[in-house]
Amino acid sequence: MKKSLKPIRLKWKVFGYLLVFCVLLLGILWLFETVLLYDMYKFIRKKEMNSAILQVEKNIDSDSLQEIFDILNQEKEIMVNEANEMKPAAKVRPEGFKKPRQESLTRTKDFVKADGTVMTLTFHAIITPVDATVATLRIQLTVITAIMMILAVLLAFLIARHVSKPIEEINKSAKELAKGKYDTEFSATGFLEIEELSGTLNLTAGELSKVEGFRRELLTNIAHDLRTPLSLIYSYAEMMQDFPDEIMPEQTQVIMDEVSRLSSLVNDVFEISRLETGEQTQNLERYCLTDQLKEIIGRVEELVRRDGYLFYFNSDAESESGVWINADQVKIAQVFYNLLLNAINYAGDGKSITVRQSTEGNYVKVEVIDQGTGITKEYLPYIWNRYYKVDKNHKRAVTGTGLGLSIVKKIIEAHHGTYGVESEPGSGSDFWFRIPKLKA
Ligand code: ADP
């Protein structure tokens, strides 16, 4: 890549632009005020004479013709003579009188009067010499140029300070942020863009600090989740080694339970990181969602029957015969599993769980309704975030990484669906998702 030029400081750039602007402005002024002044003046005089001729032409039969001549003479310095009168150029001058460098534009024109007689008039428009004016203007312009240069420098520094100071402030805060100080406040003001940038950076800092918080929490959770099963597995294995004759199925069961707890944790962490990096592709296939739901409910029921959970499945009349979808079967299963397992985990004493399937236009809606602990309104917006757990105190009875619902969210979003929850603390939750269905 070509090495770019070293960037220059804003104030020098502003100064450069201002300087160019001033030079252009002054150049144009010089051109018009000095070089072109005489030509322009002559041009204007010519126009004035033309309009004088027109005025005379209009009033050639009027009695006030002489008055018009006088006005032209006084106001416009245009003398009008009848052709046979003596022309000013031919005026006799006293001896030794130096002819002033006074020019005049002269035009002679015949005017036909109403009675048919022809009146020949000569127009003299006096052209005053502009040399003296030009000299004055030159001096003035020199002074103006000097003033403008000083003003340009001052203005450049003022503008640059006004613009670059907030940028420098933001830069300083951003460096703090980069060091990991997430509570850095971006407060630069001055103009709209900078205020917007400050706002955006404050938001970014907020998000970064949230992510950092989540990361710490996840690490604590994972460390906790790993430590307990690992130590359980270790002590049971140790026991089995010490007393090989007394191995009981309950002991092996504990080991198996803890291993499966560990693997589900590891799977969750893997799954979310794969979903987040977008590594996974979807394996879309057409299949019957209703059958899938019933099968999963059957399997889960089998697992938790001992604990007294009751499952109900119901569907509206339209979807009773089965709803078909075009989706990734494994992923939809994962969504449903996560919702069902949450319903079980947070069931409290209300151990009946209802799964409801219904159709809404081109969509099918699946609800998992429990009668458990419910969720307080203030937490509702956050439960779909990664690593978010309402109950920060890790209860052993409830295993969770805080990833389940964010996996649900990612998968449903990838299927162009929607998801949500209605929840009442104390009386239970209704978690639902809605995805497009195939036409029956
Ligand atoms: P976890 O692995 O902690 O269950 P989730 O992402 O599945 O993580 O859920 C996030 C949080 O939402 C949970 O920690 C829990 O507080 C709350 N939650 C999820 N499902 C339910 C439910 N059915 N009833 C009550 N709270 C729930």
Side-chain angles (χ1 to χ4, degrees), residues 282-315:
Q282 296 211 67
N283 269 326
L284 294 185
E285 53 187 321
R286 288 158 183 260
Y287 70 93
C288 180
L289 174 72
T290 316
D291 290 348
Q292 188 188 28
L293 296 180
K294 283 179 180 163
E295 197 192 316
I296 293 174
I297 293 173
R299 253 188 270 157
V300 173
E301 201 168 24
E302 197 66 37
L303 275 175
V304 294
R305 184 180 314 217
R306 277 185 299 172
D307 304 323
Y309 290 96
L310 289 173
F311 290 85
Y312 302 94
F313 179 81
N314 63 51
S315 50

Side-chain angles (χ1 to χ4, degrees), residues 20-38:
V20 170
F21 175 72
C22 284
V23 167
L24 265 176
L25 192 76
L26 291 169
I28 293 170
L29 261 177
W30 273 90
L31 192 72
F32 275 80
E33 301 278 88
T34 59
V35 184
L36 295 177
L37 186 65
Y38 183 69

Side-chain angles (χ1 to χ4, degrees), residues 342 346 370 373 375 383 388-390 400-405 429 431:
N342 275 352
Y346 304 100
D370 65 55
T373 54
I375 307 164
I383 57 171
Y388 190 84
K389 294 152 86 81
V390 172
T401 50
L403 293 173
L405 289 180
S429 319
F431 277 86

